[in-house]
Amino acid sequence: MSNARNLTSSSSSHDKSSNVAMTALDGVINVNSLFTLAIFVGLSFASPGKKTLNTRQSCQPGILTLKHLVVFEVLSFSFLLLSSLVAQALKLSISLLSSAEVGDGFSVHVNRRLLRTGMLMTAISSVMGCLFLMVSMLNVIEIKLGLLSCGAKSTILAVTSLVILVVSGLLLYIFVAWYSLRPQLIVMVSFFRVKQ
């Protein structure tokens, strides 16, 4: 009787952890979709000849600012796409491996280390995508409000607000991801120490 209870509680805890992981991965995919939308909006500003709202000629961005915008938008898109694809692959594997209908002699074993590594890869890719998106948004601000070097109050206010809020959000995200993935990070650090 106690074996049946242990199996039931083990199955129940596995279902709960699978649901939590699926919800977290859904959140990553949804947020990455919103960031991707922001990337395409930012790319619409990358056409030469656009004038800023600042009337001084020395504050007009050059072609280099437009090139940087495109490069950073592409880098951001690449990291966010990588993050979303890894998250989608993890969701697919969790769904398939935790399905109740396992028949025809097919048995499954969920490799927790591999899943945690995938979650870590998703988190790192998301952070990198956000950093490159922030840098590209700095270029958008310069294109719309004038170069930061001109010292216009509106440009400085926009850049300061963007950097403070994004960096604060990223630090919180990194802390929570580190706390959640801590056992996997400890294993990775000890692995690299053994190799040296």
Side-chain angles (χ1 to χ4, degrees), residues 10-151:
S10 171
S11 173
S12 173
S13 69
H14 183 270
D15 288 345
K16 285 180 185 176
S17 65
S18 293
N19 287 339
V20 169
M22 294 287 274
T23 303
L25 292 169
D26 275 337
V28 167
I29 293 169
N30 291 337
V31 168
N32 286 350
S33 298
L34 291 174
F35 287 153
T36 303
L37 179 65
I39 289 169
F40 287 109
V41 169
L43 282 175
S44 68
F45 292 111
S47 58
K50 289 209 176 208
K51 296 290 183 187
T52 66
L53 299 175
N54 196 325
T55 55
R56 293 192 324 212
Q57 187 60 32
S58 62
C59 292
Q60 299 300 318
I63 194 74
L64 188 61
T65 305
L66 296 172
K67 286 181 181 181
H68 284 166
L69 172 63
V70 173
V71 168
F72 290 128
E73 294 276 336
V74 169
L75 285 170
S76 177
F77 177 74
S78 301
F79 277 109
L80 292 172
L81 184 60
L82 174 65
S83 175
S84 293
L85 290 174
V86 172
Q88 194 65 39
L90 290 174
K91 268 183 64 176
L92 181 63
S93 66
I94 290 170
S95 294
L96 292 176
L97 294 177
S98 65
S99 68
E101 297 178 17
V102 179
D104 299 330
F106 181 70
S107 64
V108 294
H109 172 71
V110 176
N111 186 340
R112 290 210 177 269
R113 181 177 286 177
L114 186 61
L115 288 175
R116 282 186 180 262
T117 302
M119 295 282 256
L120 180 64
M121 189 174 174
T122 299
I124 291 170
S125 298
S126 292
V127 168
M128 293 302 295
C130 288
L131 285 173
F132 283 118
L133 182 60
M134 180 184 71
V135 173
S136 71
M137 290 309 296
L138 294 175
N139 288 321
V140 169
I141 290 170
E142 286 190 324
I143 290 169
K144 293 305 283 180
L145 299 176
L147 294 175
L148 188 59
S149 59
C150 287

